[in-house]
Amino acid sequence: MSRLLKILKWGVIALVVLVIGYVISMSGISYAPDDSSIARLKPAAGAGVTVLIAGATSASGIELVKVLKARGYSVVAMVRKSSSTATLDALGVDKVVADSMIPDEMHTALAARKFDAVVSLIGTSARDVPERSNSIKALVMGPPKMDPNKRPDFIGNRNLIDAAKAQGITRFVLVTVIGAGDSAAALPLGARRGHSTVIPLKTQAEDYLRASGLQFTIVRPGGLGKQPPQDSAVLVEDPRAFSFLARSDLGRLTADALGDPATIGKTYTAYDPNRRMLWKLFTN
């Protein structure tokens, strides 16, 4: 009996160590950016500005739409034929139907009216990823793989950037992810395997936008949750920073970047010093 208790004791200790190790490996506790890297933005009101939001049906897209409408922007959401638009409809948002993977549809969507700016949150949604039925297998092997040519993270954004240029739209804000480009080292070790497919595509999208000649701003968030917003969330120019973030804060920060011309040509990390640990993704 004593042997069994000893085995159980060490089993519990091993489990606790494993959990702590996992939390640390998924958190941004090893580095904090200096205050000098914080963007001190002064976003203008959006009256008279018409913005196309690509990826507007995502949870982050909805939060951005809410902020932009509250600031007086005229918002048009780009949605796919298969998208559920009930939330956008309730917000009274105009829509254009187009698939970012089809270049002709991108050009038609952006020619539908006069747009002053485009904000893209285009990326692979959960419904696009094939399910892996065996949860143990998923834990060992990581998330299901997708053909990069079927993911919109690069191709969809490339098509949208090309269409914006063709229509003479000069302002473009792109939301990607921490880990792309020069922020690769900021992505926690525990998250790198699961992001190994999407990070190169996000990096390609960033590079393509930088080379486009458009007046771009890039915003990179980390893990996103449904918590209420906090004033502590900021944009920083330090690519080594990592934290978790409320989607509502991402909406505010993206709108701030859109509304301040000082952000043109810059790449930011969306950072909340109060949400650096993994459990902050699930608590207020």
Side-chain angles (χ1 to χ4, degrees):
M1 186 58 132
S2 59
R3 183 181 179 185
L4 178 60
L5 290 174
K6 187 176 292 186
I7 292 173
L8 289 174
K9 172 186 172 182
W10 285 108
V12 170
I13 291 173
L15 180 61
V16 170
V17 170
L18 181 65
V19 170
I20 292 174
Y22 177 76
V23 170
I24 292 174
S25 75
M26 288 292 290
S27 302
I29 63 172
S30 61
Y31 180 80
D34 189 87
D35 286 349
S36 63
S37 71
I38 298 175
R40 312 293 180 181
L41 304 185
K42 298 179 180 179
V49 180
T50 301
V51 183
L52 177 73
I53 309 297
T57 57
S58 67
S60 297
I62 293 295
E63 294 298 330
L64 175 59
V65 167
K66 291 177 181 177
V67 175
L68 291 179
K69 284 185 66 65
R71 295 187 182 183
Y73 286 87
S74 176
V75 179
V76 179
M78 189 182 80
V79 301
R80 292 186 291 184
K81 292 178 182 177
S82 59
S83 297
S84 172
T85 63
T87 303
L88 292 173
D89 293 338
L91 292 171
V93 177
D94 290 342
K95 299 178 293 296
V96 292
V97 178
D99 187 330
S100 66
M101 299 297 283
I102 304 174
D104 287 346
E105 291 192 7
M106 287 292 92
H107 287 275
T108 300
L110 270 68
R113 65 183 72 189
K114 175 69 171 64
F115 292 108
D116 299 295
V118 174
V119 180
S120 176
L121 299 96
I122 289 175
T124 306
S125 66
R127 65 177 178 272
D128 294 328
V129 179
E131 293 184 7
R132 179 167 285 154
S133 57
N134 189 321
S135 59
I136 297 178
K137 184 178 180 181
L139 180 63
V140 174
M141 298 182 62
K145 299 296 183 181
M146 278 185 69
D147 181 349
N149 293 319
K150 294 182 179 180
R151 300 183 72 142
D153 302 85
F154 169 57
I155 295 175
N157 279 305
R158 181 192 65 191
N159 292 340
L160 184 58
I161 291 165
D162 288 344
K165 289 182 66 176
Q167 294 301 322
I169 304 168
T170 58
R171 187 73 171 105
F172 199 108
V173 177
L174 175 64
V175 178
T176 59
V177 67
I178 293 175
D182 61 356
S183 68
L187 190 67
L189 290 173
R192 293 182 184 181
R193 184 178 185 185
H195 287 75
S196 61
T197 299
V198 73
I199 290 295
L201 301 179
K202 298 291 190 184
T203 299
Q204 284 182 276
E206 290 188 1
D207 291 343
Y208 194 82
L209 178 58
R210 290 191 186 96
S212 68
L214 297 178
Q215 296 178 357
F216 74 87
T217 304
I218 296 169
V219 177
R220 296 168 174 162
L224 296 168
K226 298 179 180 179
Q227 303 91 335
Q230 289 191 11
D231 292 337
S232 54
V234 293
L235 293 176
V236 299
E237 293 188 65
D238 191 337
R240 295 169 292 177
F242 177 87
S243 78
F244 297 94
L245 197 73
R247 293 182 189 276
S248 50
D249 282 323
L250 177 60
R252 171 178 61 82
L253 295 175
T254 304
D256 287 350
L258 172 65
D260 191 336
T263 67
I264 291 173
K266 294 186 177 182
T267 300
Y268 296 99
T269 293
Y271 177 75
D272 187 343
N274 294 335
R275 289 184 170 138
R276 294 170 62 190
M277 297 300 293
L278 177 62
W279 65 74
K280 292 292 186 178
L281 193 59
F282 310 101
T283 63
N284 293 339

